[in-house]
Amino acid sequence: MKILNVVGARPNFMKMAPIIEKMKKHPGINSILVHTGQHYDENMSKQFFDELNLPKPDIYLGVGSASHAQQTARIMVEFEKILLKEKPDLTLVVGDVNSTIACALVSVKLEVPVAHVEAGLRSFDRGMPEEINRILTDAISDYLFITEESARVNLIKEGVSAQKIFFVGNVMIDTLLKHKKQANDSQILKRLNVEANDFALLTLHRPSNVDNRKALENILEAMFEIQKHIKIICPLHPRTKKRIDELALLDRFELLKRGNCCFIEPQGYLDFLKLMSEARVVLTDSGGIQEETTVLGVPCITLRENTERPVTVSEGTNVIVGTSKAKITAAVLAAVNKNNLSMKKAPEKWDGRAAQRIVEILNKNFLQIGK
Ligand code: UD1
């Protein structure tokens, strides 16, 4: 069985690593790794390949940054050439980035079946580019591998046949559990001169937060309040860095820098995992971080109006607060002042074996139906 596995942007790498590892060990699978090049900076891409032991991509499309239409179109044009040459039995895509929908769409048009890992998640906010990518990818996929039961409900409502849906758990958590011990040795706290449990960690990159002046201003103002109580460590995503400048918010940013906020470059996987594990509280608009903090048992304040990952709220440590300055500040201070967080178990099947389940299902179905 020949499988083209697609990655493009940072959150794809930790999802793909355990899948490739299991496929490489399977005698019946010839796995090929395609990197679209949506993310290309050393610290947004290569460093993750090194730390996660991902093999060098077999094929690199080098599409880079552009508008949504241009980026998606470039990926499609380049990926079609690869599909025609390689003629795989399956394309496997992960997550919800532009590379996910672009490669899924090219595949189905060439009658190559598609497996979507992390299917069925819905924020019900069509203003999010990822929501559009998720809905479209799921509609054309043949295998829908889900991380939580809410995804099954969403997919069934959208008319997806129940036979295509497989609850396998969370591949991103496979990676976290595998690297937790190694991350513990990271020297990042020493380098930043902070003590465990004595800082808040903040990440910010969603267009709805950083492309919108009012939202970004609110968040920077909330940071100004929070840093009076606890040090904030903030790895700056390239999009956010650019917008702070373009939206003329550099003066606030400089003020925070002179205060108790430490802005750093995007971190590698192990250092970031260490930061998350040791933070008193995490503030984020990322999807994956909501899941990772749930498994780590670290309080997570989500700076969005919704989440496509409801299990992180019902069973995990996540609280959805939006972007009002007052709500963010209150939620963070409540988390900082709370001493013992009631630790719960990780959500069902977030146990380090999701990739194994995926590979077994693909192999069994391939042998049964020859597809
Ligand atoms: C993308 C994904 C988002 C994911 C995020 C993780 C889509 C629609 N969005 O958003 O779901 O959560 O990745 O980071 O696919 N840039 C660099 N170096 C890089 C990559 C990007 O400088 O290696 C800059 C470029 O100026 C680019 C901007 O960041 O225009 C945004 O990159 P892009 O891939 O378009 O979207 P992200 O915001 O990273």
Side-chain angles (χ1 to χ4, degrees):
M1 185 184 197
K2 186 175 190 178
I3 305 180
L4 284 192
N5 296 290
V6 177
V7 290
R10 185 170 60 178
N12 293 163
F13 308 138
M14 33 284 209
K15 292 170 192 166
M16 189 59 85
I19 299 175
I20 293 283
E21 186 194 328
K22 298 294 176 213
M23 282 187 183
K24 292 270 181 220
K25 286 189 186 142
H26 199 292
I29 295 179
N30 171 13
S31 80
I32 296 177
L33 182 59
V34 182
H35 186 342
T36 64
Q38 178 174 344
H39 283 176
Y40 44 87
D41 281 358
E42 172 94 14
N43 57 9
M44 297 290 284
S45 176
K46 180 161 182 306
Q47 193 172 355
F48 288 82
F49 276 73
D50 296 342
E51 290 187 341
L52 300 174
N53 264 331
L54 260 167
K56 198 167 166 281
D58 299 289
I59 298 162
Y60 186 70
L61 305 182
V63 299
S65 301
S67 70
H68 280 264
Q70 287 182 33
Q71 186 177 62
T72 311
R74 274 185 210 158
I75 299 169
M76 289 179 70
V77 169
E78 295 308 314
F79 190 64
E80 185 180 51
K81 295 178 199 161
I82 306 299
L83 270 189
L84 290 170
K85 181 160 170 262
E86 297 289 341
K87 299 190 175 41
D89 297 297
L90 182 85
T91 297
L92 183 141
V93 295
V94 295
D96 53 18
V97 302
N98 286 344
S99 302
T100 310
I101 176 60
C103 295
L105 187 52
V106 174
S107 295
V108 289
K109 293 280 179 89
L110 291 175
E111 298 186 17
V112 175
V114 174
H116 183 206
V117 176
E118 202 185 86
L121 297 178
R122 297 288 180 268
S123 65
F124 303 101
D125 172 4
R126 291 201 176 197
M128 269 179 97
E130 294 81 5
E131 181 78 349
I132 306 300
N133 293 343
R134 289 189 280 257
I135 294 170
L136 298 181
T137 305
D138 288 340
I140 56 177
S141 290
D142 300 85
Y143 294 88
L144 296 108
F145 292 115
I146 63 170
T147 52
E148 58 172 273
E149 282 294 345
S150 73
R152 189 195 304 280
V153 177
N154 298 333
L155 291 170
I156 299 280
K157 273 194 197 145
E158 289 172 19
V160 174
S161 147
Q163 279 98 327
K164 290 186 182 175
I165 305 171
F166 302 91
F167 179 25
V168 291
N170 193 324
V171 284
M172 193 148 170
I173 302 306
D174 288 8
T175 297
L176 183 150
L177 296 176
K178 183 174 171 192
H179 291 87
K180 216 175 144 190
K181 211 161 153 253
Q182 208 185 335
N184 203 29
D185 295 337
S186 150
Q187 298 300 306
I188 183 79
L189 300 194
K190 275 207 190 100
R191 286 205 296 280
L192 297 175
N193 198 17
V194 284
E195 295 291 324
N197 218 17
D198 202 21
F199 64 95
L201 177 68
L202 176 120
T203 80
L204 205 61
H205 78 285
R206 291 260 154 247
S208 58
N209 282 340
V210 304
D211 293 1
N212 171 321
R213 191 173 203 281
K214 188 70 207 142
L216 187 53
E217 204 174 8
N218 278 348
I219 295 170
L220 294 178
E221 280 178 13
M223 286 175 77
F224 194 76
E225 285 307 311
I226 295 162
Q227 54 104 41
K228 293 177 188 161
H229 304 267
I230 189 164
K231 187 177 184 86
I232 303 177
I233 307 244
C234 177
L236 258 194
H237 187 282
R239 172 189 281 277
T240 311
K241 199 173 184 176
K242 232 165 119 184
R243 294 298 185 257
I244 287 174
D245 193 10
E246 285 167 4
L247 297 171
L249 289 165
L250 266 179
D251 51 340
R252 317 244 169 138
F253 178 66
E254 290 300 328
L255 201 61
L256 287 169
K257 258 168 71 178
R258 286 198 295 275
N260 204 12
C261 288
C262 173
F263 293 95
I264 54 178
E265 288 296 308
Q267 296 296 299
Y269 185 74
L270 297 172
D271 286 340
F272 190 75
L273 180 49
K274 175 76 173 179
L275 284 172
M276 260 192 306
S277 312
E278 304 289 4
R280 178 87 180 188
V281 58
V282 173
L283 293 85
T284 192
D285 59 9
S286 147
I289 292 174
Q290 297 171 43
E291 298 182 335
E292 291 168 329
T293 46
T294 273
V295 170
L296 295 169
V298 173
C300 178
I301 311 284
T302 293
L303 310 181
R304 288 173 44 191
E305 303 299 336
N306 49 54
T307 180
E308 60 287 330
R309 292 160 160 92
V311 79
T312 60
V313 175
S314 59
E315 295 184 29
T317 57
N318 192 15
V319 187
I320 310 293
V321 300
T323 56
S324 110
K325 177 185 160 190
K327 281 192 189 156
I328 299 172
T329 313
V332 172
L333 295 186
V336 167
N337 293 327
K338 196 167 166 182
N339 277 324
N340 38 17
L341 186 78
S342 57
M343 279 287 291
K344 299 172 198 163
K345 309 205 294 289
E348 192 187 349
K349 293 193 187 172
W350 292 20
D351 58 0
R353 287 162 43 213
Q356 183 64 35
R357 294 187 187 103
I358 290 171
V359 170
E360 278 165 16
I361 291 165
L362 290 177
N363 189 56
K364 187 165 151 240
N365 278 36
F366 184 69
L367 292 179
Q368 269 173 7
I369 57 172
K371 257 196 151 193

